Amino acid sequence: EYGIVRPKGYNVTFHTNPEMEKHHFGQTHPMKPWRLTLSKSLIMSYGMPYAMNNYIARTATYEELNDYHSQDYLDYLGTVLPEPVPRDVDGGTNEMRFNLGGSDCPLFEGLYDYCSMSAGGSLDAARKVCNKESDIAISWGGGLHHAKKMEASGFCYINDIVLAILQLLRCYPRVLYIDIDVHHGDGVEEAFYSTDRVMTCSFHKYDPVSFFPGTGALDDNGPKNEYNPGAHHAINVPLNDGITDEQYGWLFENVIGSIVERFRPSAIALQCGADSLAGDRLGRFNLQVQGHGQCVAFCKKLGLPMILFGGGGYTPRNVARAWTWETAIALGVDKKINPVIPQHTPWREHFRQEELLPTLEQILGDPKPNKNPQKRILEIVQHVQEQLRFVQH
Ligand code: ZLV
Ligand code: CA
Ligand code: ZN
């Protein structure tokens, strides 16, 4: 209907599991797995599935999860019930040990399945990229960048990104991880802090006092010991409220352009958290779908094998808009997609307010004052370039 055809000799693979979307974190919790259903519905309405290879994501096995996560943690995650074990049985110590059952990382029905499906999608994506069966593999159900080896954190229990990058490292010498979620990608940074085979770069709102997780300062660049191979291989771009498409795009292209020149990655893992969009329930930035997607377009132009992960995103209709647009960019059909939300989109009521306006030209959110002085933006690029001089060519 919209003339979307399969690009010759270029493969995009799309990895999802419809079972994942049925899980609930709880009524008031901002993470809504059904945003994945909404996104897929919009992607389907534009006919994009015809132009890519679609796979139902497997559930990752215990052994696969154990490539990064500890057995203690996985065993506990696999046995906890929605109702935490009564305190008089284990004294609540396991929940405390693993940061489970609090308000950020609640225990819910089917939690272990939810986690293994998210990881399964990202692992399938990584394998397709390794086998050269995919040029860009998409796992919108992944991107859970805060999870630690032995601890849940910030709505994330299993770090599917770390598992996928470990897989990529079996076939590529160097992987660049980029994170455009509004939060710092602390879990991925930590996992690869001591290696020079992965460079991590997160763009995020930074406020050590009042914005989660509080890490990711400009001068956090990996181990301070020069003899540690991971030194200088963590790049952080701390930002303030209200950053615009223009500033963010300029920063992104300069920072990522410089990194690619120096680090020469053989593959890219890009976390596309949509909470950096304007109007996000938890976010603070002023990015539009265009500006967010520009980051994906810039990475695609580098011509390296790539995985796109989801991540945060707490205003579901905007998450669907962004990930639909970015799927179109991956396919190279962004010039062709009709900007009006198709009439037959299921879930159409979720695009209320603006339903007759163009999807992608829609201005999201009330503009917030921009608290990012141009001088600071220049300072950031300068600092990054100084760090990169230490990186072995
Ligand atoms: O988007 O949470 O601020 C990837 C991602 O990056 C906190 N959590 C921690 C520190 C103390 N707690 C507060 C506890 C909050 C409990 C529930 C909310 C409930 C309603 C509305 C907002 C929140 C909330 N929680 C906002 N920010 C938090 C952060 C975690 C953010 C995780 C981002 C995950 C998927
Ligand atoms: Ca980030
Ligand atoms: Zn986030």
Side-chain angles (χ1 to χ4, degrees):
E1 179 181 357
Y2 296 105
I4 290 186
V5 290
R6 182 178 294 264
K8 282 225 171 56
Y10 194 83
N11 291 314
V12 175
T13 59
F14 192 79
H15 305 266
T16 48
N17 190 326
E19 291 302 308
M20 188 183 167
E21 302 152 20
K22 297 177 185 160
H23 292 84
H24 297 276
F25 279 65
Q27 275 290 309
T28 56
H29 198 285
M31 178 56 101
K32 309 284 183 201
W34 61 265
R35 71 207 170 114
L36 295 169
T37 316
L38 190 63
S39 306
K40 215 180 326 167
S41 156
L42 193 56
I43 289 166
M44 282 168 65
S45 307
Y46 286 112
M48 288 188 233
Y50 295 111
M52 54 193 183
N53 295 330
N54 306 280
Y55 297 94
I56 305 268
R58 274 173 326 106
T59 51
T61 64
Y62 180 93
E63 287 69 31
E64 287 172 326
L65 301 179
N66 187 217
D67 271 345
Y68 181 55
H69 295 282
S70 75
Q71 292 193 0
D72 272 14
Y73 176 59
L74 291 175
D75 288 342
Y76 192 68
L77 197 65
T79 54
V80 274
L81 303 161
E83 292 301 315
V85 184
R87 297 219 160 247
D88 52 327
V89 177
D90 80 345
T93 48
N94 275 328
E95 275 108 59
M96 285 200 291
R97 244 173 89 201
F98 302 129
N99 189 31
L100 288 165
S103 37
D104 271 351
C105 302
L107 299 171
F108 55 83
E109 196 71 51
L111 173 61
Y112 189 85
D113 293 335
Y114 166 85
C115 295
S116 33
M117 286 178 227
S118 160
S122 299
L123 276 171
D124 283 352
R127 295 217 173 95
K128 287 286 173 201
V129 166
C130 270
N131 297 343
K132 313 274 194 292
E133 288 175 54
S134 186
D135 295 292
I136 303 185
I138 301 178
S139 176
W140 293 139
L144 305 179
H145 60 176
H146 298 305
K148 310 284 155 50
K149 181 180 168 124
M150 300 195 270
E151 199 182 289
S153 170
F155 320 162
C156 306
Y157 305 80
I158 291 289
N159 203 315
D160 62 290
I161 306 170
V162 170
L163 296 172
I165 293 177
L166 287 172
Q167 181 68 43
L168 291 180
L169 288 175
R170 295 183 180 159
C171 21
Y172 295 103
R174 287 176 306 281
V175 176
L176 171 59
Y177 172 67
I178 308 170
D179 185 316
I180 61 171
D181 189 289
V182 74
H183 299 97
H184 177 223
D186 58 348
V188 184
E189 179 184 276
E190 180 179 299
F192 299 110
Y193 213 54
S194 296
T195 176
D196 54 4
R197 291 186 62 198
V198 179
M199 184 170 281
T200 60
C201 177
S202 174
F203 298 75
H204 45 267
K205 153 85 184 171
Y206 176 67
D207 179 341
V209 180
S210 63
F211 197 74
F212 187 85
T215 49
L218 185 60
D219 62 359
D220 166 13
N221 298 112
K224 297 288 178 203
N225 171 5
E226 286 294 328
Y227 298 104
N228 189 314
H232 315 292
H233 284 71
I235 300 291
N236 281 296
V237 180
L239 300 167
N240 239 310
D241 293 7
I243 193 163
T244 59
D245 279 0
E246 201 192 6
Q247 270 186 332
Y248 197 94
W250 188 85
L251 249 180
F252 189 88
E253 298 191 3
N254 276 280
V255 167
I256 301 302
S258 308
I259 290 179
V260 169
E261 197 181 300
R262 191 79 191 181
F263 180 63
R264 293 178 299 108
S266 21
I268 293 184
L270 175 56
Q271 196 266 22
C272 303
D275 49 5
S276 44
L277 293 170
D280 188 82
R281 182 172 159 198
L282 300 194
R284 307 288 186 88
F285 293 168
N286 236 333
L287 295 190
Q288 301 299 314
V289 170
Q290 286 292 340
H292 200 267
Q294 203 40 49
C295 302
V296 178
F298 182 81
C299 291
K300 184 187 170 174
K301 272 194 290 187
L302 298 170
L304 295 167
M306 175 158 75
I307 304 179
L308 301 181
F309 301 92
Y314 306 100
T315 301
R317 63 180 182 279
N318 295 345
V319 176
R321 290 185 165 107
W323 291 350
T324 298
W325 181 235
E326 287 159 13
T327 304
I329 290 170
L331 287 167
V333 299
D334 44 312
K335 299 280 185 312
K336 284 188 192 153
I337 93 167
N338 185 325
V340 176
I341 291 192
Q343 279 297 328
H344 51 271
T345 308
W347 299 76
R348 201 163 187 272
E349 68 277 17
H350 286 283
F351 296 97
R352 68 197 148 78
Q353 295 166 12
E354 321 90 354
E355 60 187 347
L356 297 174
L357 288 170
T359 320
L360 303 162
E361 282 148 41
Q362 182 63 42
I363 311 278
L364 311 178
D366 296 327
K368 287 179 207 52
N370 185 356
K371 301 226 174 96
N372 297 273
Q374 199 57 32
K375 187 170 144 266
R376 175 65 176 164
I377 301 290
L378 294 171
E379 226 170 71
I380 292 174
V381 172
Q382 228 160 45
H383 175 91
V384 170
Q385 287 172 345
E386 278 161 23
Q387 277 308 305
L388 291 171
R389 278 189 214 122
F390 295 104
V391 171
Q392 287 305 320
H393 242 333

